[in-house]
Amino acid sequence: MRLRRVLLIVLLVGGFWFVTSHLPEQLSRMDLLNTAGVSRSPLALTEAHASPAYDADEQNNIAVYKKALPSVVNITSKSMTYNFFYGQVPQEGQGSGFILDRAGHVLTNFHVIADANRISVRTSDKRDYKATIVGTDKMHDLALLQITGQNLQPVTLADSTDLTVGQKVYAIGNPFGLNGTMTRGIISSIRSIRGPEDAPIEDAIQTDAAINPGNSGGPLLNSRGEVIGINTLIASNGVEQSSGIGFAIPINTAKAVLGDLTKYGRVRRPTLGISSLAIGPDIADQMGLAAGSGVLVQRVSPGGAADRAGLRGGNQQAYLGNQPILLGGDLIVAVDGKEITDNGDLSTIMDKHQPGDTVSITFYRGRKKLTVNLTLGEGRGVNT
């Protein structure tokens, strides 16, 4: 009787061992056969034993990002607008900017903070600051802000004079609210464009690096992580997203106005004290002018720089198409010996001067070529 019990226990233990050890293996083998009779191989993954090394190009991308990111900020501007029923409605806009110094000066685009009654700045480590406006330059689409904080990381500014088409560039900003986004491309061209206020931006940097809404005011960087421009515009053809054609204001333009913004809160813009009309070869020939190009003085502001230097405006009413013009004024062809072919040339030269500087003006009065010295005045919102 006792022997039977022992045998029964042995059989039960042996059966349990067989079921748990061998039956799943047999079932697994059967499961490897699908309904079509095709066998399935077990899944075998090949994994790297170590992280792959970055190539030289990737290492440079990473270095640029790590260097510049702590200096790039997200800017949120809040303003009040009116709805259809003339009720006040809060409106919020976003853009980018970058820290210029440890004192907390931040550079961005004017259109990012235009009409804002409250501006906040968030750094890459998610610290939030209230910002105040130090000064604005609407014509160049620049704004200088101020925040107060500890351990702020300023950018390094490059020289944008000798930029070359084909040069590698990087854009870091806040496109569509996606903080800390970096894109890469090249300089596609250096050209003059019209800014948001229809004012000329000379030597604007065209790039195919993706620039989208929210990138405005952020830095355009060279391969050393130095700022060469301020991202400001995209050619969208009606679609507000990157089309591979973006534009940045050259950083040297910003350098030229930062002193005035810090000191005066505005840009002290030099002026000749004239209104003028750009003249090309065809129009010059029709008017019988002595030179094929230049700017024709239409009017001289009484008591202004040109008036004091003896320049004359036009006195004969005429029409250029449907546009009324004045003939008979002086034709300016050079400033400080540099040829003037249109108002853009004149604006470029004015941007390099301050009110009170003396320049030489070469012009034609009729067929007579003259040169006078002129002390530049100060204008508001104009370059001539």
Side-chain angles (χ1 to χ4, degrees), residues 329-342:
D330 295 331
L331 178 68
I332 298 175
V333 294
V335 176
D336 285 339
K338 297 179 180 178
E339 183 182 12
I340 300 296
T341 60
D342 54 33

Side-chain angles (χ1 to χ4, degrees), residues 54-325:
Y54 300 114
D55 63 27
D57 195 41
E58 290 172 325
Q59 289 176 11
N60 188 68
N61 296 343
I62 294 167
V64 168
Y65 188 71
K66 287 183 175 180
K67 179 179 180 179
L69 182 64
S71 307
V72 181
V73 299
N74 172 30
I75 297 175
T76 302
S77 62
K78 295 183 178 180
S79 60
M80 300 299 294
T81 187
Y82 292 90
N83 61 17
F84 180 78
F85 300 101
Y86 294 97
Q88 285 193 332
V89 178
Q91 190 171 16
E92 184 173 285
Q94 287 194 331
S96 305
F98 50 92
I99 300 169
L100 291 174
D101 58 16
R102 296 189 185 279
H105 288 103
V106 174
L107 188 63
T108 187
N109 284 143
F110 172 79
H111 74 261
V112 170
I113 55 89
D115 301 322
N117 50 32
R118 183 179 177 185
I119 303 169
S120 60
V121 169
R122 169 170 281 201
T123 55
S124 63
D125 57 359
K126 294 181 172 56
R127 289 181 291 167
D128 292 306
Y129 301 95
K130 181 181 178 181
T132 57
I133 298 175
V134 176
T136 61
D137 181 4
K138 189 175 181 180
M139 179 167 286
H140 286 117
D141 194 25
L142 296 173
L144 184 64
L145 310 179
Q146 175 88 56
I147 61 174
T148 301
Q150 300 294 322
N151 302 317
L152 299 175
Q153 300 296 313
V155 295
T156 301
L157 303 182
D159 185 348
S160 59
T161 302
D162 297 319
L163 300 178
T164 304
V165 173
Q167 183 177 335
K168 189 186 300 181
V169 292
Y170 301 83
I172 300 181
N174 178 45
F176 300 114
L178 301 173
N179 297 349
T181 298
M182 182 172 81
T183 56
R184 188 180 79 162
I186 62 169
I187 295 177
S188 306
S189 181
I190 305 292
R191 67 175 77 248
S192 296
I193 62 169
R194 291 281 175 178
E197 297 296 322
D198 202 37
I201 300 176
E202 304 299 329
D203 299 323
I205 306 165
Q206 181 183 329
T207 179
D208 64 351
I211 296 175
N212 286 289
N215 273 116
S216 289
L220 188 70
L221 307 152
N222 62 19
S223 58
R224 294 180 297 279
E226 301 163 343
V227 179
I228 60 172
I230 304 103
N231 299 317
T232 188
L233 284 174
I234 55 176
S236 61
N237 293 325
V239 180
E240 291 300 320
Q241 62 186 34
S242 176
S243 61
I245 301 177
F247 295 96
I249 302 165
I251 195 62
N252 283 9
T253 298
K255 289 178 186 178
V257 303
L258 282 174
D260 278 356
L261 290 179
T262 304
K263 189 173 182 180
Y264 304 107
R266 59 181 175 82
V267 177
R268 298 178 67 240
R269 217 171 283 288
T271 178
L272 297 177
I274 63 172
S275 61
S276 58
L277 174 69
I279 296 295
D282 292 342
I283 299 174
D285 185 57
Q286 293 177 30
M287 294 181 178
L289 300 177
S293 61
V295 293
L296 185 65
V297 179
Q298 298 289 284
R299 293 181 178 85
V300 174
S301 300
D307 189 28
R308 294 193 302 269
L311 270 68
R312 299 176 185 173
N315 53 17
Q316 303 171 35
Q317 182 77 46
Y319 284 88
L320 184 61
N322 293 324
Q323 178 186 357
I325 62 172

